[in-house]
Amino acid sequence: ASLCHETGAICEAHKLNERIVASVCVSREKGEEDFIILTPCGICQERLAYWGRGLIVAVPSLSNPSVPEWKTLEEVQPYHW
């Protein structure tokens, strides 16, 4: 495993004792291309679960990966251990 870009923000929230209520990860191949939405990886889902299964995360829309759909962690990972 490696560190995602979200790790810094998650650590900062812990340090400042702030609650995370939503998360979105975006990416693009080149500077002029559209952003695409990335579902949080399993490691980030585990890190975000600290704030509860009701936290919302962006996932790519099936019709357009540049458009987010918002799901709870419970919906994204229904069988959390």
Side-chain angles (χ1 to χ4, degrees):
S2 61
L3 290 178
C4 298
H5 288 99
E6 295 91 337
T7 304
I10 292 169
C11 290
E12 192 70 10
H14 275 292
K15 181 176 85 174
L16 298 173
N17 199 29
E18 294 288 337
R19 180 169 173 76
I20 294 177
V21 296
S23 178
V24 61
C25 180
V26 297
S27 180
R28 66 177 169 193
E29 289 292 320
K30 297 179 183 165
E32 63 276 357
E33 293 181 3
D34 288 341
F35 285 100
I36 60 168
I37 307 300
L38 301 174
T39 302
C41 72
I43 295 170
C44 282
Q45 288 180 39
E46 289 294 329
R47 290 176 178 145
L48 291 167
Y50 172 82
W51 286 278
R53 308 293 296 149
L55 183 140
I56 58 172
V57 296
V59 298
S61 167
L62 294 176
S63 61
N64 182 347
S66 294
V67 176
E69 289 187 14
W70 295 94
K71 307 278 185 185
T72 64
L73 281 178
E74 183 78 31
E75 293 171 300
V76 175
Q77 192 182 48
Y79 303 107
H80 186 261
W81 54 273

